[in-house]
Amino acid sequence: DASQFDYPTKENFKNKPLINSKNWHRELIKLSIKQVLVTTHDPHQRFKEINQARENGLTLINAIHPTALIMEDAIIRDNVIMHARAFVGYCSEIFSGTIINTNAQIDHHNVIKECVTLNPGVVTGGNVTIGRYTVVHTGAIIINRIRIGENSILGAGTVIIKDVPDNVTVVGVPGR
């Protein structure tokens, strides 16, 4: 419904060429484009496309909003997207392909593995590890010293007070 929303066509987006091809990396190389940011919604597909970019010699770049705040000694890998007012705490490590949405807060000494998606308003305590491909939905809260497994889903508003295994969906307060 937004009046200022732009939709891509098969050929362009915001008056720029849009490549819609399984061999997108080859098309970019032909056009002498060497830097890319993979934004695919599905975390598994994003991981696959990041690896295709690497295998084809493309440089993966980050997209970090100017209002995002990254504390001292944080490590931000390549192909990370940080939206407005995202926060990454002291000595945290953000792996490739991670998307940190608006107002998400990652406290100190967190490890966010490959292709995790943190939706708006997510808050993590200190010393939290989130496994690859996990999606944490809007407003979820994770207390200190928690490990979230790989390929899991944490529902909107969920409060996580104990470790979460791989391949599960957790909802509720506290999360179950």
Side-chain angles (χ1 to χ4, degrees):
D1 292 339
S3 64
Q4 297 182 346
F5 194 83
D6 293 320
Y7 290 96
T9 67
K10 286 187 175 193
E11 286 80 35
N12 66 66
F13 180 60
K14 294 187 177 187
N15 297 319
K16 302 284 184 189
L18 180 64
I19 298 168
N20 191 8
S21 166
K22 287 183 180 181
N23 296 316
W24 57 271
H25 42 85
R26 289 191 193 116
E27 298 293 327
L28 292 177
I29 291 166
K30 279 192 238 176
L31 294 169
S32 298
I33 296 172
K34 295 179 174 48
Q35 295 182 324
V36 298
L37 178 67
V38 177
T39 63
T40 307
H41 176 72
D42 177 81
H44 293 278
Q45 187 65 30
R46 188 163 64 242
F47 184 78
K48 180 180 172 187
E49 291 181 12
I50 286 169
N51 285 328
Q52 284 179 330
R54 286 187 179 123
E55 289 165 7
N56 285 278
L58 297 168
T59 301
L60 293 158
I61 61 171
N62 293 329
I64 299 176
H65 193 275
T67 62
L69 180 58
I70 303 169
M71 297 303 291
E72 185 178 343
D73 293 331
I75 298 169
I76 309 294
R77 305 291 170 132
D78 57 6
N79 207 99
V80 170
I81 300 169
M82 291 180 64
H83 290 265
R85 297 175 309 282
F87 174 83
V88 175
Y90 174 78
C91 289
S92 287
E93 187 170 357
I94 311 302
F95 280 71
S96 297
T98 295
I99 299 173
I100 305 169
N101 280 285
T102 304
N103 290 325
Q105 177 179 322
I106 298 166
D107 215 333
H108 65 89
H109 296 91
N110 278 218
V111 176
I112 311 300
K113 296 290 188 164
E114 292 88 351
C115 297
V116 167
T117 302
L118 301 175
N119 283 326
V122 167
V123 176
T124 69
N127 298 296
V128 169
T129 298
I130 301 178
R132 296 186 316 167
Y133 318 123
T134 290
V135 177
V136 183
H137 285 287
T138 303
I141 298 171
I142 305 169
I143 69 166
N144 291 350
R145 294 187 270 308
I146 295 292
R147 298 182 70 78
I148 306 297
E150 189 171 292
N151 201 44
S152 289
I153 298 170
L154 307 183
T158 297
V159 177
I160 302 297
I161 61 172
K162 61 182 182 176
D163 290 354
V164 172
D166 294 345
N167 304 305
V168 298
T169 298
V170 180
V171 297
V173 179
R176 295 179 196 82

